[in-house]
Amino acid sequence: MSARLRGTPAGLRGTLARLNAPAVRTRLGTLGGAAILAVLLWRLDTGVLLEGLRRIDGPTLLAGLGIGLVTTVFSAWRWALVARGIGIRLPLGAAVADYYRALFLNAALPGGVMGDVHRAVRHGQSAGDLGRGVRAVVLERTAGQLALFAVGAVVLVSMPSPVLDEVRQAAPVVGLGALGACAVVLAVRMNRAPGRRRVASGVLAEAREGLFSQRNAPGVLVSSVVVLAGYVAMFVLAAHVAGADASVAELLPLAVLALLAMGLPLNVGGWGPREGVTAWAFGAAGLGAGRGLTVAVVYGVLSLVASLPGVVVLVGRWYAGVRGGERGGVAPAAPSLPVPGGAAPGPPAGLRPRPHTPPDGPGGDVSSEKYAANESTRLARISLPFSAVPREGRPMTPESV
């Protein structure tokens, strides 16, 4: 009995460790998002939902693509600024292409973050510093979340919404909790071992340089505000398509609630909590829960359409990789330069094998031809990986650098 009791904590710790694995968390989040969608479709009238979907026309899709272009370009600019701030290079064109690809993967794959993981790893590998590449993406996403929290707090405290009273009551508690958390972090940082303290200081220094430095802070702030305004504009467009009879001032706090819900890790490619919170918020605001579900679904469709240029990036880079693999499978032979007089070309002067002088003594009968053959073989092995012949079909992309 005692042995069984002693073994229980270890088994419990093992079970908790397995449940905390990234793959398990992703599956649980996907199941949670699917369950939310199933309950919503079961409890609410789907007639309004289908009517809203039928109202999506060509101009609406073009508007969604335009809003998506603005938000993607400014998000990629923010990413490039943060990457430059922590010391790695990221051109804006490559950042836009990678961001589109990440948006499509986020929308198409479970979890809603696989695209961000992909661009973080790819950029880190291409820059030669995987750690900084991952931290650049984390800091870029953190900047967006900070802008959402700051603007959302102001909107929810000052504008009428279903959670106005609750937010005003919770605001002092949240403020005190934030101060307490800062105090705890400061105390832990001061009591850490010197090695860990240096690591934490380095991470904080990168965050300050990437987000809050005098060179980067204005660009990060402007891009974050523009991106957030684009998300709100997409939500207002979805509400207009769904036939919601509400002004922009009434829709703004509802949009903030929907955007906050999208950050929860219980979703299927972004679907789930957004639909549930939007349906509840519209119902509490007197606009109808079914209408809120329709707005959320239309928003999801428009967001998916806005990410479709990422498919072009995926297919284009896949095709470039295939062509590069086919053409680069066998390295072409180095071209021979013509020599006056028709003599056969030889190796450069600096790489010609030196004539061998047989040593004096009993071992002097070793022939110079043997040493010349060995020297030629060694030179061929050395020069082969550093051939100056360019490979065709290998575009300069972050994957191929």
Side-chain angles (χ1 to χ4, degrees), residues 29-306:
T30 302
L31 291 176
I36 293 173
L37 291 176
V39 171
L40 289 173
L41 294 176
W42 171 53
R43 295 298 301 269
L44 299 178
D45 183 15
T46 58
V48 179
L49 172 64
L50 297 177
E51 178 63 26
L53 293 176
R54 282 194 292 265
R55 296 178 63 175
I56 300 177
D57 52 9
T60 301
L61 295 178
L62 290 177
L65 280 172
I67 295 174
L69 175 63
V70 173
T71 58
T72 303
V73 170
F74 275 88
S75 297
W77 178 42
R78 179 176 63 194
W79 181 26
L81 288 176
V82 173
R84 184 190 65 182
I86 65 175
I88 52 179
R89 181 176 176 270
L90 179 60
L92 181 59
V96 172
D98 288 349
Y99 218 101
Y100 261 121
R101 178 180 58 188
L103 288 176
F104 175 73
L105 293 177
N106 284 342
L109 298 178
V113 295
M114 299 305 296
D116 292 328
V117 174
H118 184 264
R119 69 182 170 101
V121 173
R122 285 290 190 179
H123 180 221
Q125 290 176 343
S126 65
D129 194 331
L130 181 60
R132 287 191 179 182
V134 172
R135 291 195 294 273
V137 173
V138 171
L139 289 175
E140 184 268 327
R141 297 302 299 159
T142 301
Q145 293 299 313
L146 290 176
L148 175 60
F149 291 152
V151 174
V154 174
V155 169
L156 294 179
V157 169
S158 61
M159 301 184 67
S161 71
V163 295
L164 177 61
D165 296 334
E166 289 79 2
V167 170
R168 287 181 175 177
Q169 292 176 2
V173 178
V174 172
L176 293 176
L179 291 176
C182 293
V184 170
V185 170
L186 182 60
V188 171
R189 180 185 175 188
M190 294 177 63
N191 293 326
R192 277 180 174 174
R196 294 186 177 181
R197 192 181 306 169
R198 285 194 297 269
V199 173
S201 299
V203 173
L204 291 177
E206 283 187 343
R208 286 194 300 266
E209 190 64 29
L211 299 180
F212 306 112
S213 64
Q214 187 176 1
R215 182 178 64 172
N216 275 11
V220 171
L221 178 61
V222 170
S223 60
S224 299
V225 171
V226 172
V227 170
L228 182 57
Y231 293 156
V232 173
M234 186 81 78
F235 189 89
V236 173
L237 175 63
H240 174 73
V241 171
D245 188 12
S247 63
V248 176
E250 294 174 321
L251 292 173
L252 183 56
L254 306 182
V256 169
L257 290 173
L259 293 175
L260 290 173
M262 289 173 60
L264 298 176
L266 301 173
N267 61 79
V268 184
W271 299 76
R274 176 185 59 207
E275 284 68 27
V277 170
T278 307
W280 168 81
F282 269 70
L287 300 174
R291 187 74 64 185
L293 175 60
T294 304
V295 171
V297 172
V298 174
Y299 180 91
V301 172
L302 294 179
S303 298
L304 178 61
V305 171

